[in-house]
Amino acid sequence: MKILGIETTCDETGIALIEFKETKFRILSHKLRSQIKVHSKYGGIVPILAAREHKKNLPILFDSLIREIKIDFKKDIDYFAFSYGPGLPPALVEGKEFVVSLAKKYEKKIIPVNHLIAHFYSVLISKNKIGVWQKIKEIPLPALGLLVSGGHTILAFIEDFRKIKKLGETLDDAIGESLDKGARILGLDYPGGPKLEKLAKKGRPLFNLPHPLINQKNFNFSFAGLKTAFWELVEEIRKYNKLDELKQDLAYSYQKTAFETVIIKTKKAFEKYRPKSIIVTGGVIANQFLRKMFVKVFGTKVYFPVKNLSTDNGINIAFSGYFLLDKAVEYSNLDIDPLADI
Ligand code: AMP
Ligand code: MG
């Protein structure tokens, strides 16, 4: 069985074709184009520009994929999978129009894939090498799932991958967003998360910042107060002309506080729900400091997606589609849901 997956929820245009045989799969081709350069000068993602880029890039990536694999789409492809949300409405609309045009042309059904759930499914992929047959990874369940990205901070209980219950989420900024804003306070470009990590490498934990909501019994997060406290601290230091001297320490302290907040909450959920494993995904887990913190606290129980699959891509969508075949719809019944939840 072959599934073509399409991702356009935010600022990455992704297309991937995966072949499945029972518990094995191989990625036949995948294409990804990031829009970071387009948005960076605005300090964040501009939805209408994201849509324009998806519209431009989808046919380019698709043409490049079919030239590479040379298969008869009508005969050889079984389904299209499409991430219907959550995401930016104009970006989702472009993806939908594109997948609908393909489904019409090749007379296939479309599997609507929830973007959040696709992030959790992605940990079942053991490598993302093109053309290599691999076994679908097995992870002990139930698991605790944590999604840390630019748009989400969600803790969930994964009884099985089709039965995911949200335990808590951020009440204001997502963790990635808070890192990007903190980085901006220090004068770093968007997306600031990776730049903050680089700066923090030579920093020291000199400053105490608040850990919002850690004493509450629920599993919600909040990062807006941390950002405000950081802004006040940076302004104070600026007054004394010490900003350049202390920048690395500020980056270290901010990043560390945000990550400690996440670890403390996850640990509490772990103690309450006693899962067999913990799955951590989303763009922020590219951060080596955070990864190490998770491994230190949870040891071998923690699972991350393989390289490049923690951020948005078409592979995650095509792969998830295989587990959701019963949800396939005719193209005329496909809808986007910008506010889709778990
Ligand atoms: P996503 O929303 O999954 O596409 O991930 C993008 C978010 O991850 C942005 O907020 C980035 O700043 C953040 N991010 C990416 N790489 C890193 C990193 N190495 N350290 C911290 N945050 C990162
Ligand atoms: Mg992204």
Side-chain angles (χ1 to χ4, degrees):
M1 169 176 301
K2 295 190 188 70
I3 301 177
L4 182 96
I6 294 182
E7 157 66 43
T8 63
T9 55
C10 192
D11 62 343
E12 262 98 14
T13 316
I15 302 190
L17 182 61
I18 306 186
E19 181 175 10
F20 297 88
K21 241 184 223 161
E22 290 159 20
T23 58
K24 283 186 165 178
F25 71 99
R26 60 181 176 148
I27 299 161
L28 298 177
S29 174
H30 84 100
K31 305 283 166 194
L32 185 69
R33 196 165 282 187
S34 165
Q35 306 174 2
I36 282 180
K37 279 200 182 119
V38 176
H39 301 285
S40 66
K41 57 175 176 276
Y42 301 98
I45 296 164
V46 184
I48 204 73
L49 291 183
R52 185 193 73 186
E53 291 300 301
H54 288 308
K55 193 184 177 87
K56 186 179 85 193
N57 291 330
L58 279 166
I60 297 174
L61 297 186
F62 183 71
D63 284 350
S64 147
L65 181 137
I66 51 176
R67 255 184 284 121
E68 191 176 295
I69 48 176
K70 298 185 181 71
I71 60 166
D72 180 340
F73 257 62
K74 203 161 199 162
K75 215 169 86 231
D76 291 335
I77 296 284
D78 294 276
Y79 292 96
F80 292 107
F82 163 66
S83 180
Y84 66 90
L88 304 169
L92 293 169
V93 167
E94 289 306 331
K96 182 193 158 188
E97 283 182 5
F98 190 75
V99 75
V100 165
S101 72
L102 291 181
K104 243 186 208 174
K105 181 169 171 190
Y106 297 112
E107 296 168 14
K108 307 289 171 192
K109 281 186 162 180
I110 301 169
I111 308 160
V113 174
N114 181 308
H115 180 82
L116 304 173
I117 289 169
H119 270 301
F120 291 129
Y121 270 118
S122 75
V123 292
L124 301 180
I125 300 174
S126 38
K127 44 179 148 35
N128 57 344
K129 274 204 170 145
I130 303 284
V132 178
W133 278 108
Q134 49 181 315
K135 244 177 114 56
I136 295 173
K137 207 155 99 184
E138 282 179 33
I139 290 187
L141 296 174
L144 197 63
L146 176 71
L147 175 60
V148 280
S149 71
H152 298 94
T153 313
I154 295 178
L155 252 179
F157 186 73
I158 304 172
E159 199 173 319
D160 68 58
F161 283 90
R162 296 194 50 134
K163 220 168 164 193
I164 301 181
K165 188 178 144 230
K166 187 154 73 184
L167 302 177
E169 65 187 323
T170 183
L171 303 177
D172 39 56
D173 295 347
I175 176 132
E177 190 182 357
S178 83
L179 295 171
D180 294 339
K181 287 178 175 171
R184 203 171 167 185
I185 293 170
L186 291 179
L188 303 170
D189 290 345
Y190 177 85
K195 288 156 196 135
L196 203 66
E197 177 179 22
K198 208 167 156 211
L199 198 59
K201 279 197 176 125
K202 289 190 190 134
R204 300 162 296 173
L206 288 191
F207 304 102
N208 279 327
L209 288 157
H211 295 82
L213 305 192
I214 53 164
N215 294 320
Q216 289 196 4
K217 283 223 162 71
N218 57 49
F219 299 108
N220 289 330
F221 302 88
S222 161
F223 295 100
L226 168 63
K227 176 197 65 194
T228 308
F230 188 61
W231 182 80
E232 285 166 359
L233 174 67
V234 172
E235 285 308 296
E236 200 57 28
I237 288 172
R238 204 191 298 275
K239 269 192 218 154
Y240 293 98
N241 262 331
K242 295 265 185 211
L243 191 53
D244 281 343
E245 192 184 312
L246 295 172
K247 233 178 201 176
Q248 295 172 341
D249 304 323
L250 284 163
Y252 188 98
S253 306
Y254 185 73
Q255 186 184 267
K256 178 172 171 278
T257 311
F259 294 165
E260 278 170 354
T261 306
V262 169
I263 294 274
I264 291 167
K265 283 274 167 170
T266 308
K267 209 166 160 225
K268 279 192 179 177
F270 198 86
E271 278 156 12
K272 177 165 179 189
Y273 292 95
R274 295 263 150 226
K276 294 199 174 117
S277 59
I278 159 160
I279 293 166
V280 190
T281 181
V284 179
I285 202 60
N287 189 295
Q288 293 305 316
F289 191 84
L290 182 60
R291 270 187 187 240
K292 281 185 192 145
M293 282 169 89
F294 268 107
V295 172
K296 197 170 167 198
V297 177
F298 298 102
T300 54
K301 287 207 159 80
V302 65
Y303 291 83
F304 306 112
V306 294
K307 206 164 173 260
N308 303 337
L309 296 188
S310 56
T311 44
D312 302 342
N313 64 80
I315 297 174
N316 290 359
I317 305 305
F319 185 79
S320 307
Y322 185 58
F323 302 91
L324 304 166
L325 298 178
D326 57 312
K327 296 199 185 266
V329 294
E330 298 295 338
Y331 61 79
S332 51
N333 290 330
L334 185 72
D335 234 336
I336 61 163
D337 183 359
L339 300 176
D341 211 338
I342 283 178

